[in-house]
Structures are given as structure tokens and as C-alpha cells.
Amino acid sequence: AGDTNRAVQLVKGFVESYPPRSVLPTPATSTSSSTACVAAAVTPLSSSSLPQLALPARVSLVAAQPLVRLTVNSKIPDTAIPPFLCFKDLEILHHRLVAQSETGSAHERRATKEALRFLTWVCKAYEGHLQRRKDWAMKRR
């Protein structure tokens, strides 16, 4: 129980440092960094341009033109997104809390269910704001 309580406190600290609203685009950062990321990922790379590439590249084959495109333009990662949490990040904690919610005193079960509601809110809040960011980015194209 102590480990899950500590883990929930860490998640709360993370959410305070990086609130779900922080993943929404801001006019100053979104116009330059996300556009630069898309431009760098879409333009063909040559061996001479690789040392000057400032953004992390996920290209494993280098040629005059991309040999294989494994992602569509909508799947190009946006490097300007601050840290966020999704269910996969919290899945083990969620499962442990579900198991805990079935045992213990009534007070412990209530506290565990409150923690589960908080985790659900965290996941849905980040998911919703990321979707809004994606929708905004698609409208800009």
C-alpha cells in the first residue's frame, strides 16, 4: 500500500509540474518548432546533411530520396510537446490499485478508489489535450 501511495504522490507531483494544459500548442512555440520538425522529417536527407541535423532523426536508410516511408505525415513526432502521461505509463499502478480496492478496510478502499479516479482523470486529460493539439496541427496544414 505504501508503494502505491508513493507512486500516486509522484504522479500528482508530475501533473503539478507538467499540467495537461501544457501540451496544448502556444502561438510562440507551435509556429516555429512543430513546423521545423515536420520540414526536417519530410525533406530528403543526404549523407552530407546529417551532421548539420539538429533535430533527432528516425531515419535508418539514407539516400537521395527516402527509400521507404514508414510513417505518414500525421505520425511525425512533434518535438515541442512537453512531457505527458498516458495509460501505458500508469497501467501497472492502475492494476495494483484495482487489486488493492478489493481488499482492506472501507477507508482504504475509498482512498484507493479516489486514487483510481485521479489516474483516470490524468489519462483522459492528457489524451484530450493531445487530441486537441493534433486537431490544431491538422488544421494548420
Side-chain angles (χ1 to χ4, degrees):
D3 289 346
T4 55
N5 291 338
R6 184 169 175 256
V8 170
Q9 291 305 316
L10 287 172
V11 171
K12 287 181 180 181
F14 180 90
V15 171
E16 286 176 15
S17 298
Y18 306 101
R21 251 187 171 332
S22 68
V23 300
L24 290 175
T26 58
T29 59
S30 57
T31 55
S32 59
S33 58
S34 61
T35 306
C37 175
V38 170
V42 173
T43 55
L45 298 175
S46 66
S47 58
S48 62
S49 68
L50 283 178
Q52 296 129 1
L53 186 63
L55 297 172
R58 294 182 183 212
V59 178
S60 59
L61 301 174
V62 179
Q65 292 188 327
L67 300 177
V68 178
R69 179 177 292 278
L70 298 176
T71 59
V72 295
N73 287 345
S74 63
K75 299 291 183 186
I76 294 172
D78 185 353
T79 58
I81 299 176
F84 63 91
L85 294 170
C86 61
F87 183 72
K88 286 180 112 178
D89 300 323
L90 302 172
E91 187 172 10
I92 293 173
L93 176 59
H94 180 269
H95 289 306
R96 287 185 182 174
L97 287 170
V98 168
Q100 268 185 6
S101 71
E102 299 167 357
T103 61
S105 68
H107 175 70
E108 289 171 338
R109 287 194 307 268
R110 258 194 314 274
T112 302
K113 288 184 180 189
E114 184 179 323
L116 282 166
R117 283 192 297 272
F118 172 72
L119 286 186
T120 301
W121 172 82
V122 167
C123 292
K124 293 298 181 181
Y126 280 111
E127 179 183 317
H129 284 90
L130 284 168
Q131 184 61 47
R132 285 176 58 191
R133 183 184 184 98
K134 179 182 173 188
D135 293 344
W136 177 85
M138 295 305 286
K139 286 179 187 174
R140 286 183 41 111
R141 291 186 184 185

